Structure formats: structure tokens, C-alpha cells
Amino acid sequence: MPPMTKLSVIYYSSTGTVHAMAKRLAEAGEKAGAEVRLRQVPELAPEEAVASNAAWSQHFDATKNEPKATADDVVWADAVLFGTPTRFGNLSSQLKQFIDTLGPQWGQGLLADKVYAGFTATMTAHGGQESTLLALYNTIHHFGGLVVAPGYTDPVKFGDGNPYGVSHVTGGGNDAPLGDAQLNALDHMAQRVVRIAGKVNA
């Protein structure tokens, strides 16, 4: 029997949307037969910034004891799904800072030949979702990683409409829940990443 594919879902979430997406991906990865690590990157924002937003503060308190991402979670994995809210059309500083600590592993070639994909969320439609994922993939190219974006490889992708990864619009109140289109797209991306990683490592 071939070894189980190892999947790391590594994310930053300020108010909970990307966290919910990460949990769904982890569940879908397990259903697809992978061994999964779900890891949060540490908060970098000052306490007063977090406290200024009730949803941010509540989510920080609710998740502060969750396992935190380390370089080993990337080295260990056959496939990595990175998640971040959009920040001015780019990655959050929290996820970027974690990625920037991976220089030693990159220098040893330990980040290459793995499957990668990304997920994100914004308050507004066209609020930088695609540019955020493309910016993430610039880094993956430097890793020598294999970008396995979902494209339009399943009809569910015409529901969420993002071929670069999976994304969600949270709305003006920043609280719109994930719908069937996003949940189906997350399931598909996890299944596809696990399947392709299994082929790479066969």
C-alpha cells in the first residue's frame, strides 16, 4: 500500500473566514485519504489593533491556543495549502512573515517538488483575490514548488469562479458565511491537491 499523502493547511485569519476555509480544507483532505496538519501562523499585530475590532479580538481569543505553524510543517508535507485574507491585493504580513522564515529550508531544497495551492477572502468582490493568490505563487516558483491551482477542472469551479485557488467575499459586514459554491470549491481543491501530490510521490 502506498504511503498516505501528507497535507499541511497553513493559514492566517483575523476574523475567522480564512480559518473556516482552512478547517474545511483539512476535513476534505482527510476524507481524500491524506494525513493532515492544520496550522495557524502567529498574530503579529499589536494588541491595541486587535482590540480595536471586536470580531478580530474574539477570533484571536478563540484560536490563540491552536497549533502554530513551523518550518517542519512545510518540510513534512507532500502538499501545502496556504491561506490568507487579502491585504491591499497581497498576502497578509502574518503569513508573509512565516514564509520569509523558510529561507534555511529553501536553501537546502526542502521546499521544492511539493504541490502548493492557495485560498483567500476579501470584503468586496474584485477586492484583490486573484492578485493575492498570484503573489503567493511567485514565492512558490522560487521554492521550486508545483502550483496546482484548481483551474476549471470541475463544474463546481464555475460556481465560485476563481481558477487561481478558492476565494470568498465576506461582504460589507465582513460576516457573510461560506456558501455551497465556496464549500464545494474547497472540497474540490483539497481532493485535487491530494490526488496530484500522490502521483508526484508515487
Side-chain angles (χ1 to χ4, degrees), residues 96-172:
K96 186 63 166 61
Q97 192 271 345
F98 170 75
I99 289 173
D100 286 349
T101 68
L102 301 176
Q105 292 74 28
W106 165 80
Q108 297 172 64
L110 299 176
L111 310 181
D113 303 331
K114 300 176 184 293
V115 166
Y116 296 87
F119 55 105
T120 190
T122 58
M123 290 180 66
T124 59
H126 313 295
Q129 295 177 348
E130 294 177 354
S131 63
T132 297
L133 295 172
L134 291 170
L136 169 65
Y137 297 156
N138 286 339
T139 299
I140 303 311
H141 294 309
H142 281 256
F143 287 176
L146 308 174
V147 175
V148 179
Y152 293 101
T153 53
D154 187 279
V156 301
K157 290 305 296 176
F158 293 98
D160 88 306
N162 189 339
Y164 302 97
V166 178
S167 56
H168 177 56
V169 178
T170 62

Coordinates of all heavy atoms in Angstrom, one line a residue, residues 96-172:
K96 N 3.1 36.2 5.3 CA 4.3 36.5 4.6 C 5.5 36.4 5.5 O 6.6 35.9 5.2 CB 4.3 37.9 4.0 CG 5.5 38.3 3.1 CD 5.5 37.4 1.9 CE 6.5 38.0 0.9 NZ 7.9 38.1 1.4
Q97 N 5.3 36.8 6.8 CA 6.5 36.7 7.7 C 6.8 35.2 8.0 O 8.0 34.9 8.0 CB 6.1 37.4 9.1 CG 7.2 37.6 10.0 CD 7.5 36.4 10.9 OE1 6.6 35.6 11.1 NE2 8.6 36.4 11.6
F98 N 5.8 34.4 8.1 CA 6.1 33.0 8.3 C 6.8 32.4 7.0 O 7.8 31.7 7.2 CB 4.8 32.2 8.5 CG 5.0 30.7 8.4 CD1 5.6 30.0 9.5 CD2 4.6 30.0 7.3 CE1 5.8 28.7 9.4 CE2 4.8 28.6 7.2 CZ 5.4 27.9 8.3
I99 N 6.4 32.8 5.9 CA 7.0 32.3 4.7 C 8.5 32.8 4.6 O 9.4 32.0 4.2 CB 6.2 32.7 3.4 CG1 4.9 31.9 3.3 CG2 7.0 32.5 2.1 CD1 4.0 32.3 2.2
D100 N 8.7 34.0 5.0 CA 10.0 34.6 5.0 C 11.0 33.9 5.9 O 12.2 34.1 5.8 CB 9.9 36.1 5.3 CG 9.4 36.9 4.1 OD1 9.2 36.3 3.0 OD2 9.1 38.1 4.3
T101 N 10.5 33.2 6.9 CA 11.4 32.5 7.8 C 11.9 31.1 7.2 O 12.7 30.5 7.9 CB 10.7 32.1 9.2 OG1 9.6 31.2 9.0 CG2 10.1 33.4 9.8
L102 N 11.4 30.8 6.0 CA 11.7 29.5 5.5 C 13.0 29.5 4.6 O 13.3 28.5 3.9 CB 10.5 29.0 4.6 CG 9.2 28.8 5.3 CD1 8.1 28.4 4.4 CD2 9.3 27.8 6.5
G103 N 13.8 30.5 4.7 CA 15.0 30.6 3.9 C 15.9 29.5 4.1 O 16.5 28.9 3.1
P104 N 16.2 29.0 5.4 CA 17.1 27.9 5.5 C 16.6 26.6 4.8 O 17.4 25.9 4.2 CB 17.2 27.7 7.1 CG 16.9 29.1 7.6 CD 15.8 29.6 6.7
Q105 N 15.3 26.4 4.9 CA 14.8 25.2 4.3 C 14.8 25.3 2.8 O 15.1 24.4 2.0 CB 13.3 24.9 4.8 CG 13.2 24.5 6.2 CD 13.5 25.7 7.2 OE1 13.2 26.9 6.9 NE2 14.0 25.4 8.4
W106 N 14.5 26.5 2.3 CA 14.6 26.8 0.8 C 16.0 26.5 0.4 O 16.3 25.9 -0.7 CB 14.2 28.2 0.6 CG 14.6 28.7 -0.8 CD1 13.9 28.4 -2.0 CD2 15.7 29.5 -1.1 NE1 14.6 29.0 -3.0 CE2 15.7 29.7 -2.5 CE3 16.7 30.1 -0.4 CZ2 16.7 30.4 -3.2 CZ3 17.7 30.8 -1.1 CH2 17.7 31.0 -2.4
G107 N 17.0 27.0 1.1 CA 18.4 26.9 0.7 C 18.9 25.4 0.7 O 19.8 25.1 -0.1
Q108 N 18.2 24.6 1.4 CA 18.5 23.1 1.4 C 17.7 22.4 0.4 O 17.8 21.1 0.3 CB 18.3 22.5 2.8 CG 19.2 23.1 3.8 CD 18.8 22.6 5.2 OE1 18.9 21.4 5.5 NE2 18.4 23.5 6.1
G109 N 16.8 23.1 -0.4 CA 16.0 22.4 -1.4 C 14.8 21.6 -0.8 O 14.2 20.8 -1.5
L110 N 14.5 21.9 0.5 CA 13.5 21.1 1.2 C 12.0 21.6 0.9 O 11.1 20.9 1.3 CB 13.7 21.2 2.7 CG 15.1 20.6 3.2 CD1 15.2 20.8 4.7 CD2 15.2 19.1 2.8
L111 N 11.9 22.7 0.2 CA 10.6 23.2 -0.2 C 10.2 22.9 -1.6 O 9.0 23.1 -2.0 CB 10.5 24.7 0.0 CG 11.0 25.2 1.4 CD1 10.9 26.7 1.5 CD2 10.3 24.5 2.5
A112 N 11.1 22.3 -2.4 CA 10.9 22.0 -3.8 C 10.1 20.7 -4.0 O 10.0 19.9 -3.1 CB 12.2 21.9 -4.5
D113 N 9.5 20.6 -5.2 CA 8.9 19.4 -5.6 C 7.7 19.0 -4.8 O 7.3 17.8 -4.7 CB 9.9 18.2 -5.7 CG 11.1 18.5 -6.6 OD1 10.9 19.3 -7.6 OD2 12.2 18.0 -6.3
K114 N 7.1 19.9 -4.1 CA 5.8 19.7 -3.4 C 4.7 20.4 -4.2 O 4.9 21.3 -5.0 CB 5.9 20.3 -2.0 CG 7.0 19.8 -1.1 CD 7.1 20.5 0.2 CE 8.2 20.1 1.1 NZ 8.1 18.7 1.6
V115 N 3.5 20.0 -3.9 CA 2.3 20.6 -4.5 C 1.8 21.7 -3.6 O 1.7 21.5 -2.4 CB 1.2 19.5 -4.7 CG1 -0.1 20.1 -5.0 CG2 1.6 18.5 -5.8
Y116 N 1.5 22.8 -4.2 CA 1.0 24.0 -3.4 C -0.2 24.6 -4.1 O -0.4 24.6 -5.3 CB 2.1 25.1 -3.4 CG 3.3 24.8 -2.7 CD1 4.4 24.2 -3.3 CD2 3.5 25.1 -1.3 CE1 5.6 23.9 -2.6 CE2 4.7 24.8 -0.6 CZ 5.7 24.2 -1.3 OH 6.9 23.9 -0.7
A117 N -1.1 25.2 -3.3 CA -2.2 26.0 -3.8 C -2.6 26.9 -2.7 O -2.2 26.8 -1.5 CB -3.4 25.1 -4.3
G118 N -3.5 27.9 -3.0 CA -3.8 28.9 -2.0 C -5.3 29.2 -2.0 O -6.1 28.9 -2.9
F119 N -5.7 29.9 -0.9 CA -7.1 30.4 -0.7 C -7.1 31.7 0.1 O -6.1 32.0 0.8 CB -7.9 29.3 0.1 CG -7.4 28.8 1.4 CD1 -8.0 29.3 2.6 CD2 -6.3 28.0 1.5 CE1 -7.5 28.8 3.8 CE2 -5.8 27.5 2.7 CZ -6.4 28.0 3.9
T120 N -8.1 32.5 -0.2 CA -8.2 33.8 0.4 C -9.6 34.3 0.5 O -10.5 33.7 0.1 CB -7.3 34.8 -0.6 OG1 -7.2 36.0 0.1 CG2 -8.0 35.0 -1.9
A121 N -9.7 35.5 1.1 CA -11.0 36.1 1.3 C -10.9 37.7 1.3 O -9.8 38.2 1.7 CB -11.7 35.7 2.6
T122 N -11.9 38.3 0.8 CA -12.0 39.8 0.8 C -13.4 40.3 1.2 O -14.3 39.5 1.1 CB -11.7 40.4 -0.6 OG1 -12.6 39.9 -1.5 CG2 -10.3 40.0 -1.1
M123 N -13.5 41.5 1.6 CA -14.8 42.1 1.9 C -15.6 42.4 0.7 O -16.8 42.3 0.7 CB -14.6 43.3 2.8 CG -14.2 43.1 4.2 SD -14.0 44.6 5.2 CE -15.7 45.1 5.3
T124 N -14.9 42.7 -0.4 CA -15.6 43.2 -1.6 C -15.3 42.3 -2.8 O -14.2 41.7 -2.8 CB -15.2 44.6 -2.0 OG1 -13.8 44.6 -2.2 CG2 -15.6 45.6 -0.9
A125 N -16.2 42.2 -3.7 CA -15.9 41.5 -5.0 C -14.8 42.2 -5.7 O -14.7 43.4 -5.7 CB -17.1 41.4 -5.8
H126 N -13.9 41.5 -6.4 CA -12.8 42.1 -7.1 C -11.9 42.8 -6.1 O -11.2 43.8 -6.6 CB -13.3 43.0 -8.2 CG -14.3 42.4 -9.1 ND1 -14.1 41.3 -9.8 CD2 -15.6 42.7 -9.2 CE1 -15.3 40.9 -10.4 NE2 -16.2 41.8 -10.1
G127 N -11.8 42.4 -4.9 CA -11.0 43.2 -3.9 C -9.6 42.7 -3.8 O -9.0 42.9 -2.7
G128 N -9.1 42.0 -4.8 CA -7.7 41.6 -4.7 C -7.5 40.1 -4.6 O -6.4 39.6 -4.3
Q129 N -8.6 39.3 -4.7 CA -8.4 37.9 -4.5 C -7.4 37.2 -5.5 O -6.6 36.5 -5.0 CB -9.8 37.2 -4.7 CG -10.8 37.7 -3.6 CD -12.2 37.1 -3.8 OE1 -12.5 36.5 -4.8 NE2 -13.0 37.2 -2.8
E130 N -7.6 37.5 -6.7 CA -6.7 36.9 -7.7 C -5.2 37.4 -7.6 O -4.3 36.6 -7.6 CB -7.2 37.1 -9.1 CG -8.5 36.4 -9.4 CD -9.1 36.7 -10.7 OE1 -8.6 37.5 -11.5 OE2 -10.2 36.1 -11.0
S131 N -5.1 38.7 -7.3 CA -3.7 39.2 -7.2 C -3.0 38.6 -5.9 O -1.8 38.4 -5.9 CB -3.7 40.7 -7.2 OG -4.4 41.2 -6.0
T132 N -3.8 38.4 -4.9 CA -3.2 37.8 -3.7 C -2.7 36.4 -4.0 O -1.6 36.0 -3.5 CB -4.3 37.8 -2.6 OG1 -4.6 39.1 -2.2 CG2 -3.7 37.1 -1.3
L133 N -3.5 35.6 -4.6 CA -3.1 34.2 -4.9 C -1.9 34.2 -5.9 O -0.9 33.4 -5.8 CB -4.2 33.4 -5.5 CG -5.4 33.2 -4.5 CD1 -6.6 32.6 -5.2 CD2 -4.9 32.4 -3.3
L134 N -1.9 35.1 -6.9 CA -0.8 35.2 -7.8 C 0.5 35.6 -7.1 O 1.6 35.1 -7.4 CB -1.1 36.1 -9.0 CG -2.2 35.6 -9.9 CD1 -2.6 36.7 -10.9 CD2 -1.7 34.3 -10.7
A135 N 0.4 36.5 -6.2 CA 1.5 37.0 -5.4 C 2.1 35.8 -4.6 O 3.3 35.6 -4.5 CB 1.2 38.1 -4.5
L136 N 1.2 35.0 -4.0 CA 1.6 33.8 -3.2 C 2.4 32.9 -4.2 O 3.4 32.3 -3.8 CB 0.4 33.1 -2.7 CG 0.6 31.7 -2.1 CD1 1.5 31.8 -0.9 CD2 -0.7 31.1 -1.7
Y137 N 1.9 32.7 -5.4 CA 2.5 31.7 -6.3 C 3.9 32.2 -6.8 O 4.7 31.4 -7.1 CB 1.6 31.4 -7.4 CG 0.3 30.7 -7.0 CD1 -0.8 30.8 -7.8 CD2 0.2 30.0 -5.8 CE1 -2.0 30.2 -7.4 CE2 -1.0 29.4 -5.4 CZ -2.1 29.5 -6.2 OH -3.3 28.9 -5.8
N138 N 4.1 33.5 -6.7 CA 5.5 34.0 -7.0 C 6.5 33.3 -6.1 O 7.6 32.9 -6.5 CB 5.6 35.5 -6.9 CG 4.9 36.3 -8.0 OD1 4.7 35.7 -9.1 ND2 4.6 37.5 -7.8
T139 N 6.1 33.2 -4.8 CA 7.0 32.6 -3.8 C 7.2 31.1 -4.1 O 8.3 30.6 -4.0 CB 6.4 32.8 -2.4 OG1 6.4 34.2 -2.2 CG2 7.3 32.1 -1.4
I140 N 6.1 30.5 -4.5 CA 6.1 29.0 -4.8 C 7.1 28.7 -5.9 O 7.8 27.7 -5.9 CB 4.7 28.5 -5.0 CG1 3.8 28.8 -3.9 CG2 4.8 27.0 -5.3 CD1 4.3 28.4 -2.5
H141 N 7.1 29.6 -6.9 CA 8.0 29.4 -8.0 C 9.5 29.5 -7.5 O 10.3 28.7 -8.0 CB 7.8 30.5 -9.1 CG 6.5 30.4 -9.8 ND1 6.0 29.2 -10.4 CD2 5.5 31.3 -10.1 CE1 4.9 29.4 -10.9 NE2 4.5 30.6 -10.7
H142 N 9.8 30.3 -6.6 CA 11.1 30.4 -6.0 C 11.4 29.2 -5.2 O 12.6 28.8 -5.1 CB 11.2 31.7 -5.1 CG 11.4 32.9 -5.9 ND1 12.7 33.6 -6.0 CD2 10.6 33.7 -6.7 CE1 12.5 34.6 -6.8 NE2 11.3 34.7 -7.2
F143 N 10.4 28.6 -4.6 CA 10.6 27.3 -3.9 C 11.0 26.2 -4.8 O 11.6 25.2 -4.4 CB 9.4 26.9 -3.1 CG 9.0 27.7 -1.9 CD1 7.8 27.4 -1.2 CD2 9.8 28.7 -1.4 CE1 7.5 28.1 -0.1 CE2 9.5 29.4 -0.3 CZ 8.3 29.1 0.4
G144 N 10.6 26.3 -6.1 CA 10.7 25.1 -6.9 C 9.5 24.2 -6.7 O 9.5 23.0 -7.0
G145 N 8.4 24.8 -6.2 CA 7.2 24.0 -5.9 C 6.3 23.9 -7.1 O 6.6 24.5 -8.2
L146 N 5.4 23.0 -7.1 CA 4.4 22.8 -8.1 C 3.1 23.4 -7.8 O 2.4 23.0 -6.9 CB 4.3 21.3 -8.3 CG 5.6 20.4 -8.4 CD1 5.3 19.0 -8.5 CD2 6.3 20.9 -9.7
V147 N 2.8 24.5 -8.5 CA 1.5 25.2 -8.3 C 0.4 24.3 -8.9 O 0.4 24.1 -10.2 CB 1.5 26.6 -8.9 CG1 0.1 27.2 -8.8 CG2 2.6 27.4 -8.2
V148 N -0.5 23.9 -8.1 CA -1.6 23.1 -8.6 C -2.9 23.9 -8.3 O -3.7 23.5 -7.4 CB -1.7 21.7 -8.0 CG1 -2.8 20.9 -8.5 CG2 -0.4 21.0 -8.3
A149 N -3.1 25.0 -9.0 CA -4.3 25.7 -8.9 C -5.5 24.9 -9.5 O -5.3 24.1 -10.4 CB -4.1 27.1 -9.7
P150 N -6.7 25.1 -9.0 CA -7.8 24.3 -9.5 C -8.2 24.5 -10.9 O -8.8 23.6 -11.5 CB -8.9 24.6 -8.5 CG -8.6 26.0 -8.0 CD -7.1 26.0 -7.9
G151 N -7.9 25.7 -11.5 CA -8.4 26.0 -12.8 C -9.9 25.8 -12.9 O -10.7 26.0 -11.9
Y152 N -10.4 25.3 -14.0 CA -11.8 24.9 -14.2 C -11.8 23.4 -14.5 O -12.3 23.0 -15.5 CB -12.4 25.7 -15.3 CG -12.5 27.2 -15.0 CD1 -11.6 28.1 -15.5 CD2 -13.5 27.7 -14.1 CE1 -11.7 29.5 -15.2 CE2 -13.6 29.0 -13.8 CZ -12.7 29.9 -14.3 OH -12.8 31.2 -14.0
T153 N -11.3 22.7 -13.5 CA -11.1 21.2 -13.7 C -12.4 20.5 -13.2 O -12.4 19.2 -13.3 CB -9.9 20.7 -13.0 OG1 -9.9 21.2 -11.6 CG2 -8.6 21.3 -13.6
D154 N -13.4 21.2 -12.7 CA -14.6 20.6 -12.3 C -15.7 21.6 -12.4 O -15.5 22.8 -12.3 CB -14.5 20.2 -10.8 CG -15.7 19.3 -10.3 OD1 -16.7 20.0 -10.0 OD2 -15.6 18.1 -10.3
P155 N -16.9 21.2 -12.7 CA -18.0 22.2 -12.9 C -18.2 23.0 -11.6 O -18.8 24.2 -11.8 CB -19.2 21.3 -13.1 CG -18.7 20.0 -13.8 CD -17.4 19.8 -13.1
V156 N -17.8 22.6 -10.4 CA -18.0 23.4 -9.2 C -17.2 24.7 -9.4 O -17.6 25.7 -8.7 CB -17.7 22.7 -7.9 CG1 -18.5 21.4 -7.8 CG2 -16.2 22.4 -7.9
K157 N -16.2 24.7 -10.2 CA -15.4 26.0 -10.3 C -16.1 27.1 -11.0 O -15.8 28.2 -10.9 CB -14.1 25.7 -11.0 CG -13.1 24.8 -10.1 CD -12.8 25.4 -8.8 CE -12.1 26.8 -8.9 NZ -12.0 27.4 -7.6
F158 N -17.2 26.7 -11.7 CA -18.0 27.8 -12.3 C -18.9 28.4 -11.3 O -19.5 29.5 -11.6 CB -18.7 27.3 -13.6 CG -17.8 26.9 -14.7 CD1 -17.5 25.5 -14.9 CD2 -17.3 27.8 -15.6 CE1 -16.6 25.2 -15.9 CE2 -16.5 27.5 -16.6 CZ -16.1 26.1 -16.8
G159 N -19.0 27.8 -10.2 CA -19.8 28.4 -9.1 C -19.0 29.4 -8.3 O -19.5 30.5 -8.0
D160 N -17.8 29.1 -7.9 CA -17.0 30.1 -7.2 C -16.2 31.0 -8.1 O -15.9 32.1 -7.7 CB -16.1 29.4 -6.1 CG -14.7 29.0 -6.7 OD1 -14.7 28.3 -7.7 OD2 -13.7 29.4 -6.0
G161 N -15.9 30.5 -9.3 CA -15.4 31.4 -10.3 C -13.9 31.8 -10.2 O -13.5 32.7 -10.9
N162 N -13.1 31.2 -9.4 CA -11.7 31.6 -9.2 C -10.8 30.4 -9.6 O -10.7 29.4 -8.9 CB -11.5 32.0 -7.8 CG -10.1 32.6 -7.6 OD1 -9.2 32.4 -8.5 ND2 -9.9 33.4 -6.6
P163 N -10.2 30.5 -10.8 CA -9.3 29.4 -11.2 C -8.0 29.4 -10.5 O -7.2 28.4 -10.7 CB -9.2 29.7 -12.7 CG -9.2 31.1 -12.8 CD -10.3 31.5 -11.8
Y164 N -7.6 30.4 -9.8 CA -6.3 30.5 -9.2 C -6.2 29.8 -7.8 O -5.2 29.6 -7.3 CB -5.9 32.0 -9.0 CG -5.9 32.7 -10.3 CD1 -7.0 33.5 -10.8 CD2 -4.8 32.6 -11.2 CE1 -7.0 34.1 -12.0 CE2 -4.8 33.3 -12.4 CZ -5.9 34.0 -12.8 OH -5.9 34.7 -14.0
G165 N -7.4 29.6 -7.2 CA -7.5 29.0 -5.9 C -8.9 28.9 -5.5 O -9.8 28.7 -6.3
V166 N -9.2 29.2 -4.2 CA -10.5 29.4 -3.8 C -10.6 30.7 -3.0 O -9.7 31.0 -2.2 CB -11.0 28.2 -2.9 CG1 -12.4 28.4 -2.4 CG2 -10.9 26.9 -3.6
S167 N -11.7 31.4 -3.2 CA -11.8 32.7 -2.5 C -13.3 32.9 -2.1 O -14.2 32.3 -2.6 CB -11.4 33.8 -3.4 OG -12.0 33.8 -4.7
H168 N -13.5 33.9 -1.2 CA -14.8 34.2 -0.7 C -14.9 35.7 -0.4 O -14.0 36.3 0.0 CB -15.0 33.4 0.6 CG -16.4 33.7 1.3 ND1 -17.6 33.5 0.6 CD2 -16.7 34.1 2.5 CE1 -18.6 33.8 1.4 NE2 -18.0 34.2 2.6
V169 N -16.1 36.2 -0.7 CA -16.4 37.6 -0.4 C -17.2 37.7 0.8 O -18.3 37.1 0.9 CB -17.2 38.3 -1.6 CG1 -17.5 39.7 -1.3 CG2 -16.4 38.2 -2.9
T170 N -16.7 38.3 1.9 CA -17.4 38.4 3.2 C -18.4 39.5 3.3 O -19.2 39.5 4.2 CB -16.4 38.5 4.3 OG1 -15.7 39.8 4.1 CG2 -15.4 37.4 4.3
G171 N -18.4 40.4 2.3 CA -19.4 41.5 2.4 C -19.1 42.6 3.3 O -18.1 42.6 4.0
G172 N -19.9 43.7 3.2 CA -19.7 44.9 3.9 C -19.6 44.7 5.4 O -18.8 45.4 6.1

